[in-house]
mmCIF file of all heavy atoms in Angstrom:
data_model
loop_
_atom_site.group_PDB
_atom_site.id
_atom_site.type_symbol
_atom_site.label_atom_id
_atom_site.label_comp_id
_atom_site.label_asym_id
_atom_site.label_seq_id
_atom_site.Cartn_x
_atom_site.Cartn_y
_atom_site.Cartn_z
ATOM 1 N N VAL A 302 -72.000 -44.915 -1.106
ATOM 2 C CA VAL A 302 -72.611 -44.915 -2.476
ATOM 3 C C VAL A 302 -73.751 -45.899 -2.492
ATOM 4 O O VAL A 302 -73.591 -47.054 -1.965
ATOM 5 C CB VAL A 302 -71.551 -45.313 -3.513
ATOM 6 C CG1 VAL A 302 -72.172 -45.273 -4.917
ATOM 7 C CG2 VAL A 302 -70.360 -44.426 -3.422
ATOM 8 N N SER A 303 -74.868 -45.472 -3.060
ATOM 9 C CA SER A 303 -76.022 -46.408 -3.199
ATOM 10 C C SER A 303 -76.416 -46.466 -4.674
ATOM 11 O O SER A 303 -76.780 -45.447 -5.260
ATOM 12 C CB SER A 303 -77.246 -45.894 -2.424
ATOM 13 O OG SER A 303 -76.900 -45.803 -1.023
ATOM 14 N N PRO A 304 -76.350 -47.654 -5.323
ATOM 15 C CA PRO A 304 -76.766 -47.776 -6.718
ATOM 16 C C PRO A 304 -78.276 -47.748 -6.773
ATOM 17 O O PRO A 304 -79.040 -48.252 -5.888
ATOM 18 C CB PRO A 304 -76.242 -49.133 -7.119
ATOM 19 C CG PRO A 304 -76.093 -49.911 -5.812
ATOM 20 C CD PRO A 304 -75.791 -48.911 -4.784
ATOM 21 N N MET A 305 -78.814 -47.118 -7.832
ATOM 22 C CA MET A 305 -80.244 -47.006 -8.027
ATOM 23 C C MET A 305 -80.557 -47.352 -9.495
ATOM 24 O O MET A 305 -79.639 -47.408 -10.327
ATOM 25 C CB MET A 305 -80.796 -45.633 -7.718
ATOM 26 C CG MET A 305 -80.535 -45.187 -6.289
ATOM 27 S SD MET A 305 -81.228 -43.532 -5.909
ATOM 28 C CE MET A 305 -80.226 -42.457 -6.918
ATOM 29 N N LEU A 306 -81.794 -47.672 -9.810
ATOM 30 C CA LEU A 306 -82.223 -47.900 -11.201
ATOM 31 C C LEU A 306 -83.223 -46.857 -11.650
ATOM 32 O O LEU A 306 -84.075 -46.454 -10.865
ATOM 33 C CB LEU A 306 -82.808 -49.316 -11.284
ATOM 34 C CG LEU A 306 -81.816 -50.448 -11.261
ATOM 35 C CD1 LEU A 306 -82.510 -51.829 -11.153
ATOM 36 C CD2 LEU A 306 -80.909 -50.489 -12.478
ATOM 37 N N ALA A 307 -83.127 -46.527 -12.942
ATOM 38 C CA ALA A 307 -83.983 -45.462 -13.531
ATOM 39 C C ALA A 307 -84.635 -45.993 -14.793
ATOM 40 O O ALA A 307 -84.134 -46.876 -15.439
ATOM 41 C CB ALA A 307 -83.170 -44.224 -13.788
ATOM 42 N N ARG A 308 -85.812 -45.377 -15.152
ATOM 43 C CA ARG A 308 -86.420 -45.589 -16.415
ATOM 44 C C ARG A 308 -86.067 -44.429 -17.332
ATOM 45 O O ARG A 308 -86.351 -43.216 -17.007
ATOM 46 C CB ARG A 308 -87.943 -45.675 -16.182
ATOM 47 C CG ARG A 308 -88.439 -46.735 -15.292
ATOM 48 C CD ARG A 308 -89.945 -46.778 -15.248
ATOM 49 N NE ARG A 308 -90.429 -47.685 -14.192
ATOM 50 C CZ ARG A 308 -90.577 -48.995 -14.323
ATOM 51 N NH1 ARG A 308 -90.282 -49.526 -15.493
ATOM 52 N NH2 ARG A 308 -90.965 -49.740 -13.308
ATOM 53 N N VAL A 309 -85.423 -44.702 -18.433
ATOM 54 C CA VAL A 309 -85.002 -43.666 -19.370
ATOM 55 C C VAL A 309 -86.231 -43.051 -20.041
ATOM 56 O O VAL A 309 -87.098 -43.707 -20.551
ATOM 57 C CB VAL A 309 -84.071 -44.235 -20.460
ATOM 58 C CG1 VAL A 309 -83.724 -43.184 -21.488
ATOM 59 C CG2 VAL A 309 -82.784 -44.756 -19.828
ATOM 60 N N ARG A 310 -86.300 -41.722 -19.959
ATOM 61 C CA ARG A 310 -87.409 -40.968 -20.598
ATOM 62 C C ARG A 310 -86.966 -40.165 -21.818
ATOM 63 O O ARG A 310 -87.729 -39.623 -22.545
ATOM 64 C CB ARG A 310 -88.032 -39.984 -19.537
ATOM 65 C CG ARG A 310 -88.569 -40.634 -18.335
ATOM 66 C CD ARG A 310 -89.700 -41.599 -18.633
ATOM 67 N NE ARG A 310 -90.651 -41.012 -19.577
ATOM 68 C CZ ARG A 310 -91.418 -41.715 -20.438
ATOM 69 N NH1 ARG A 310 -91.319 -43.027 -20.454
ATOM 70 N NH2 ARG A 310 -92.231 -41.089 -21.208
ATOM 71 N N TRP A 311 -85.603 -40.076 -22.017
ATOM 72 C CA TRP A 311 -85.052 -39.304 -23.080
ATOM 73 C C TRP A 311 -85.509 -39.814 -24.462
ATOM 74 O O TRP A 311 -85.328 -41.008 -24.736
ATOM 75 C CB TRP A 311 -83.549 -39.330 -23.031
ATOM 76 C CG TRP A 311 -82.838 -38.545 -24.113
ATOM 77 C CD1 TRP A 311 -82.080 -39.085 -25.095
ATOM 78 C CD2 TRP A 311 -82.848 -37.145 -24.295
ATOM 79 N NE1 TRP A 311 -81.604 -38.077 -25.931
ATOM 80 C CE2 TRP A 311 -82.036 -36.864 -25.455
ATOM 81 C CE3 TRP A 311 -83.456 -36.069 -23.640
ATOM 82 C CZ2 TRP A 311 -81.817 -35.618 -25.963
ATOM 83 C CZ3 TRP A 311 -83.265 -34.809 -24.152
ATOM 84 C CH2 TRP A 311 -82.449 -34.558 -25.253
ATOM 85 N N MET A 312 -86.127 -39.003 -25.264
ATOM 86 C CA MET A 312 -86.608 -39.332 -26.566
ATOM 87 C C MET A 312 -87.688 -40.393 -26.555
ATOM 88 O O MET A 312 -88.038 -40.961 -27.607
ATOM 89 C CB MET A 312 -85.446 -39.773 -27.450
ATOM 90 C CG MET A 312 -84.325 -38.823 -27.519
ATOM 91 S SD MET A 312 -84.776 -37.220 -28.343
ATOM 92 C CE MET A 312 -84.932 -37.736 -30.071
ATOM 93 N N ALA A 313 -88.331 -40.665 -25.388
ATOM 94 C CA ALA A 313 -89.350 -41.667 -25.335
ATOM 95 C C ALA A 313 -90.700 -41.010 -25.442
ATOM 96 O O ALA A 313 -90.944 -39.902 -24.901
ATOM 97 C CB ALA A 313 -89.276 -42.418 -24.006
ATOM 98 N N PRO A 314 -91.709 -41.670 -26.083
ATOM 99 C CA PRO A 314 -93.081 -41.078 -26.111
ATOM 100 C C PRO A 314 -93.589 -40.877 -24.694
ATOM 101 O O PRO A 314 -93.270 -41.628 -23.752
ATOM 102 C CB PRO A 314 -93.858 -42.197 -26.859
ATOM 103 C CG PRO A 314 -92.832 -42.967 -27.612
ATOM 104 C CD PRO A 314 -91.625 -42.948 -26.805
ATOM 105 N N ALA A 315 -94.441 -39.844 -24.516
ATOM 106 C CA ALA A 315 -94.904 -39.444 -23.224
ATOM 107 C C ALA A 315 -95.650 -40.601 -22.494
ATOM 108 O O ALA A 315 -95.619 -40.700 -21.258
ATOM 109 C CB ALA A 315 -95.799 -38.219 -23.343
ATOM 110 N N ASP A 316 -96.356 -41.458 -23.286
ATOM 111 C CA ASP A 316 -97.165 -42.486 -22.679
ATOM 112 C C ASP A 316 -96.387 -43.828 -22.596
ATOM 113 O O ASP A 316 -97.018 -44.840 -22.166
ATOM 114 C CB ASP A 316 -98.462 -42.664 -23.423
ATOM 115 C CG ASP A 316 -98.255 -43.015 -24.894
ATOM 116 O OD1 ASP A 316 -97.071 -42.933 -25.341
ATOM 117 O OD2 ASP A 316 -99.226 -43.373 -25.565
ATOM 118 N N ALA A 317 -95.179 -43.867 -23.001
ATOM 119 C CA ALA A 317 -94.448 -45.176 -23.019
ATOM 120 C C ALA A 317 -93.938 -45.472 -21.565
ATOM 121 O O ALA A 317 -93.462 -44.574 -20.857
ATOM 122 C CB ALA A 317 -93.227 -45.076 -23.981
ATOM 123 N N VAL A 318 -94.065 -46.771 -21.194
ATOM 124 C CA VAL A 318 -93.516 -47.217 -19.945
ATOM 125 C C VAL A 318 -92.170 -47.921 -20.295
ATOM 126 O O VAL A 318 -92.163 -48.983 -20.895
ATOM 127 C CB VAL A 318 -94.468 -48.172 -19.229
ATOM 128 C CG1 VAL A 318 -93.795 -48.739 -17.943
ATOM 129 C CG2 VAL A 318 -95.788 -47.507 -18.918
ATOM 130 N N THR A 319 -91.081 -47.278 -19.895
ATOM 131 C CA THR A 319 -89.770 -47.853 -20.237
ATOM 132 C C THR A 319 -89.262 -48.741 -19.109
ATOM 133 O O THR A 319 -89.687 -48.631 -17.911
ATOM 134 C CB THR A 319 -88.744 -46.720 -20.507
ATOM 135 O OG1 THR A 319 -88.735 -45.845 -19.328
ATOM 136 C CG2 THR A 319 -89.229 -45.893 -21.687
ATOM 137 N N PRO A 320 -88.323 -49.678 -19.403
ATOM 138 C CA PRO A 320 -87.830 -50.581 -18.360
ATOM 139 C C PRO A 320 -86.881 -49.890 -17.366
ATOM 140 O O PRO A 320 -86.323 -48.860 -17.663
ATOM 141 C CB PRO A 320 -87.134 -51.661 -19.152
ATOM 142 C CG PRO A 320 -86.680 -50.950 -20.384
ATOM 143 C CD PRO A 320 -87.761 -49.923 -20.731
ATOM 144 N N LEU A 321 -86.716 -50.566 -16.252
ATOM 145 C CA LEU A 321 -85.651 -50.142 -15.307
ATOM 146 C C LEU A 321 -84.332 -50.630 -15.758
ATOM 147 O O LEU A 321 -83.783 -51.592 -15.287
ATOM 148 C CB LEU A 321 -85.962 -50.685 -13.883
ATOM 149 C CG LEU A 321 -87.152 -50.050 -13.117
ATOM 150 C CD1 LEU A 321 -87.540 -50.867 -11.893
ATOM 151 C CD2 LEU A 321 -86.858 -48.642 -12.730
ATOM 152 N N SER A 322 -83.794 -49.874 -16.738
ATOM 153 C CA SER A 322 -82.585 -50.410 -17.440
ATOM 154 C C SER A 322 -81.454 -49.427 -17.411
ATOM 155 O O SER A 322 -80.469 -49.573 -18.176
ATOM 156 C CB SER A 322 -82.946 -50.731 -18.875
ATOM 157 O OG SER A 322 -83.402 -49.611 -19.538
ATOM 158 N N HIS A 323 -81.512 -48.398 -16.529
ATOM 159 C CA HIS A 323 -80.381 -47.457 -16.451
ATOM 160 C C HIS A 323 -79.911 -47.384 -15.010
ATOM 161 O O HIS A 323 -80.694 -47.087 -14.096
ATOM 162 C CB HIS A 323 -80.785 -46.077 -16.903
ATOM 163 C CG HIS A 323 -79.662 -45.094 -16.868
ATOM 164 N ND1 HIS A 323 -78.455 -45.264 -17.493
ATOM 165 C CD2 HIS A 323 -79.546 -43.921 -16.189
ATOM 166 C CE1 HIS A 323 -77.644 -44.295 -17.272
ATOM 167 N NE2 HIS A 323 -78.296 -43.430 -16.452
#
Side-chain angles (χ1 to χ4, degrees):
V302 184
S303 300
M305 302 182 292
L306 285 171
R308 300 184 190 276
V309 175
R310 301 299 313 153
W311 179 247
M312 305 296 286
D316 60 348
V318 178
T319 57
L321 287 168
S322 60
H323 181 59

